[in-house]
Amino acid sequence: MTTPATLHRVPRHPHAWLAWLLLSQLAVALLWWRLGWTWGLPALVLSHLAFVVPVFMPRARLYAPVLDRLPVDERAVWLTIDDGPSGDTAAILAALDRHRARATFFLVGERAQAHPGLVGEILRRGHGIGNHSQTHPAGRFWALGPRAMAGQVGQAQQALARLAGAPPRWFRSVVGHTNPFVAAPLRAHGLARVAWTARGYDAVDGDPVRVLQRIGRDLAPGAIVLLHEGAAHGRSVEIVEATLCLLEERGYATLEPPE
Ligand SMILES: [Zn+2]
């Protein structure tokens, strides 16, 4: 594996996108002036899309660096479980113990504050925790302004640091969206963003067969596997258990990125 410093990439230039935006609009103006609207107008539309589309693409790097797989050759994956703590956490911890697997729990700040005992239990069993925002505003995370975004990242960071005794080092964007204002609070708190390699849409799809098919397609050495707990369909524990069985069948161990 390469050195941890290259995996844990805290944004260094949170406003670099602004320079790209200005440059692109200058280029559009130049094009419009030299070649007319038939070139200028499409260029204007495309240049704006280039800044909007990455907000909704979890692995896009325009607004912040992102880790989407681990550089390992052995059959091992980083198991990540989002949206807890929840009523499922205890059962998931038991399943992880049974399969001798390690995971990182990306926790929601206010849910952690409501279940401090579960945060302690996750750590006591040797798993990691990450920051997954303070209130998990799924529908509007992409549209949050600078103050609201700083609050979502910062409040969760404070809450989790207090409960865990040390601040998390990894951040996962809510529903994978990352807008122009995410990078500044990540930098302020020394957080690096994590996406995923394999996911089964288990936050919304409660069918373990379909979920496992999707995850299985993208399993590879170093894959970051995304799972959820506390989903409304009520089958998160079953899905985690099935994923652990799938990993065993295929000869995969679990690992976490080095500190
Ligand atoms: Zn989530």
Side-chain angles (χ1 to χ4, degrees):
M1 192 180 281
T2 54
T3 60
T6 59
L7 293 181
H8 189 263
R9 294 186 57 206
V10 176
R12 277 189 299 174
H13 307 289
H15 303 294
W17 59 273
L18 204 54
W20 290 114
L21 184 64
L22 288 173
L23 274 176
S24 72
Q25 298 315 293
L26 273 175
V28 167
L30 192 67
L31 201 68
W32 202 309
W33 174 53
R34 300 302 299 255
L35 300 172
W37 70 271
T38 53
W39 286 85
L41 188 59
L44 180 71
V45 172
L46 285 176
S47 72
H48 284 212
L49 279 177
F51 288 88
V52 173
V53 171
V55 169
F56 303 100
M57 295 176 66
R59 296 179 211 181
R61 288 165 163 77
L62 177 63
Y63 296 116
V66 65
L67 181 68
D68 60 10
R69 66 173 294 270
L70 297 176
V72 298
D73 299 321
E74 79 247 36
R75 286 172 94 78
V77 299
W78 182 12
L79 206 55
T80 64
I81 301 171
D82 285 12
D83 295 358
S86 71
D88 293 334
T89 308
I92 287 175
L93 287 172
L96 290 168
D97 276 356
R98 276 198 301 282
H99 292 265
R100 291 189 199 86
R102 289 284 173 85
T104 298
F105 288 77
F106 282 87
L107 301 179
V108 176
E110 65 177 9
R111 297 176 196 169
Q113 286 166 318
H115 304 282
L118 288 174
V119 179
E121 199 54 25
I122 289 169
L123 296 166
R124 199 180 66 74
R125 310 257 195 124
H127 307 290
I129 64 166
N131 180 330
H132 191 41
S133 84
Q134 177 64 10
T135 66
H136 203 272
R140 54 191 183 85
F141 185 79
W142 67 276
L144 295 182
R147 278 176 63 107
M149 187 61 81
Q152 282 292 336
V153 177
Q155 285 167 27
Q157 191 71 357
Q158 253 183 8
L160 294 171
R162 206 169 38 238
L163 292 167
R169 302 173 69 242
W170 301 99
F171 176 78
R172 176 164 278 145
S173 290
V174 177
V175 289
H177 296 163
T178 298
N179 79 10
F181 309 116
V182 173
L186 295 190
R187 181 188 159 132
H189 297 287
L191 286 161
R193 187 164 69 101
V194 191
W196 53 80
T197 321
R199 69 160 159 182
Y201 295 93
D202 61 307
V204 286
D205 189 348
D207 181 61
V209 175
R210 281 199 302 264
V211 168
L212 269 282
Q213 266 169 3
R214 296 187 194 109
I215 290 175
R217 265 200 310 261
D218 294 326
L219 271 190
I224 300 171
V225 178
L226 169 63
L227 291 167
H228 293 81
E229 60 175 294
H233 53 64
R235 301 182 73 179
S236 298
V237 176
E238 196 184 332
I239 289 170
V240 171
E241 179 89 53
T243 303
L244 291 166
C245 291
L246 175 74
L247 292 176
E248 268 168 18
E249 268 166 44
R250 300 233 192 141
Y252 279 93
T254 54
L255 85 172
E256 288 180 272
E259 280 296 308

